[in-house]
């Protein structure tokens, strides 16, 4: 059995009860933290809290060389951990399909996701989000501007009145995590007056949610990562009220997007 377990958003306690039971019952535990990580804890703290030993794999060790994980799952109960949910945004469908091809039974124990947190913390309605996108560091795509694919996603959603969730680049091996103010600065050139919402440290005891124009958000310091940015589309009256009350959005800015 290969069990994919989402750890949730923040620390060793963010896992579900079902996930905790499966983790503690596993014979071997693998994990990856190259696409995201739990900023409120360490691997050592997760091991101590759940009384397990975790074998952390890098991208090459999961996507390029999954053999050790699959070999172990053929012979024993194996847990595979990621931050958030293992099949949402950070997807490991390929690993699950490889397991199925070898006759290994699999299951998924979900963890809460950044996508769900973004809707919950901002008050924006989940079904009004369109396609999500990831904003990379400029050096990561060889340019000094915003990639065309990001702009196309934002514009496509805005034309349909939908919100855009913008994941911010992570280069964990370099210790670099894009911040909401840096993202706002990158996007302000094309959307200077656009309303945006910074969502910072979702799942932690002190999340920060702040809504304003991009040109205003890029001047703020939102503290430690992880951060997200949301570009709202058309706003329902309830969504508009939520952004003012929950995220401190200026009323005149919100009114421009309210339908």
């Amino acid at each position: 059995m290969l069990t994919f377990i989402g750890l949730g958003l923040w620390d060793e306690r963010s896992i579900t009860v079902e996930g905790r039971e499966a983790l503690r019952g596993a014979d071997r535990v693998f994990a990856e933290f190259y696409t995201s990580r739990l900023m409120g804890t360490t691997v050592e703290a997760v091991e101590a809290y759940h009384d397990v030993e975790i074998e952390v794999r890098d991208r090459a060790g999961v996507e390029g060389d999954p053999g050790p994980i699959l070999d172990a799952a053929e012979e024993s109960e194996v847990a595979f951990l990621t931050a958030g949910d293992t099949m949402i945004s950070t997807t490991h469908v390929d690993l699950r399909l490889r397991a199925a091809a070898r006759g290994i039974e699999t299951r998924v124990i979900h963890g809460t996701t950044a996508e769900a947190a973004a809707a919950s913390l901002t008050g924006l309605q989940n079904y009004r989000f369109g396609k999500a996108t990831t904003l990379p560091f400029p050096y990561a795509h060889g340019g000094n501007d915003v990639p065309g694919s990001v702009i196309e996603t934002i514009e496509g959603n805005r034309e349909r009145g939908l919100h855009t969730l913008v994941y911010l680049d992570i280069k964990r091996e370099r210790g670099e995590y894009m911040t909401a103010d840096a993202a706002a600065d990158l996007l302000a050139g094309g959307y200077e007056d656009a309303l945006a919402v910074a969502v910072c440290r979702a799942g932690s005891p002190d999340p920060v949610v702040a809504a304003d124009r991009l040109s205003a958000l890029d001047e703020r310091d939102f503290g430690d990562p992880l951060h997200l940015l949301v570009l709202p589309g058309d706003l329902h009256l309830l969504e508009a009220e939520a952004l003012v009350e929950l995220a401190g959005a200026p009323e005149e800015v919100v009114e421009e997007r309210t339908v």
Side-chain angles (χ1 to χ4, degrees):
M1 171 76 79
L2 176 58
T3 302
F4 295 85
I5 303 174
L7 293 173
L9 295 177
W10 183 246
D11 62 17
E12 64 272 12
R13 301 170 302 158
S14 300
I15 192 171
T16 64
V17 172
E18 182 183 12
R20 181 183 64 188
E21 292 174 349
L23 173 56
R24 292 179 175 179
D27 299 307
R28 290 183 68 180
V29 180
F30 296 88
E32 68 85 356
F33 298 112
Y34 53 82
T35 49
S36 187
R37 60 167 294 191
L38 302 177
M39 300 301 294
T41 190
T42 64
V43 173
E44 293 75 18
V46 175
E47 290 179 317
Y49 187 80
H50 296 289
D51 192 25
V52 297
E53 293 184 5
I54 299 175
E55 302 174 49
V56 179
R57 307 280 286 181
D58 60 14
R59 186 183 296 274
V62 174
E63 300 174 5
D65 182 26
I69 300 172
L70 299 175
D71 291 343
E74 280 187 325
E75 302 174 355
S76 60
E77 296 288 329
V78 170
F80 183 82
L81 312 177
T82 69
D85 183 284
T86 60
M87 297 297 164
I88 301 296
S89 299
T90 302
T91 176
H92 290 289
V93 175
D94 179 71
L95 182 59
R96 193 179 186 196
L97 292 176
R98 288 173 183 261
R102 291 176 54 164
I104 300 169
E105 188 176 355
T106 65
R107 63 171 172 160
V108 178
I109 299 178
H110 301 285
T112 191
T113 65
E115 180 179 10
S120 299
L121 290 172
T122 61
L124 297 174
Q125 296 168 5
N126 184 62
Y127 72 90
R128 294 172 62 87
F129 278 78
K131 179 182 177 181
T133 189
T134 298
L135 181 62
F137 287 109
Y139 71 80
H141 68 94
N144 295 316
D145 53 4
V146 178
S149 60
V150 175
I151 295 173
E152 290 172 9
T153 297
I154 295 172
E155 290 292 346
N157 287 338
R158 287 169 70 87
E159 288 175 4
R160 294 184 293 157
L162 301 177
H163 313 316
T164 303
L165 177 62
V166 182
Y167 294 102
L168 306 186
D169 203 359
I170 293 174
K171 292 291 183 282
R172 188 173 184 272
E173 68 280 3
R174 300 172 60 139
E176 296 179 356
Y177 302 87
M178 184 180 290
T179 60
D181 52 295
D185 181 58
L186 285 170
L187 292 170
Y191 305 95
E192 183 175 357
D193 292 325
L195 173 66
V197 191
V199 180
C200 310
R201 296 177 297 284
S204 76
D206 61 342
V208 170
V209 183
D212 208 329
R213 298 189 189 276
L214 284 167
S215 54
L217 293 179
D218 71 8
E219 298 178 353
R220 296 182 57 174
D221 180 358
F222 293 104
D224 294 334
L226 295 172
H227 298 179
L228 295 169
L229 201 66
V230 178
L231 296 182
D234 295 337
L235 296 172
H236 181 276
L237 286 174
L238 189 61
E239 293 179 304
E241 182 179 351
L243 289 182
V244 172
E245 294 298 326
L246 303 178
E251 292 188 14
E252 66 276 10
V253 178
V254 169
E255 289 175 357
E256 297 174 5
R257 302 298 309 174
T258 305
V259 295

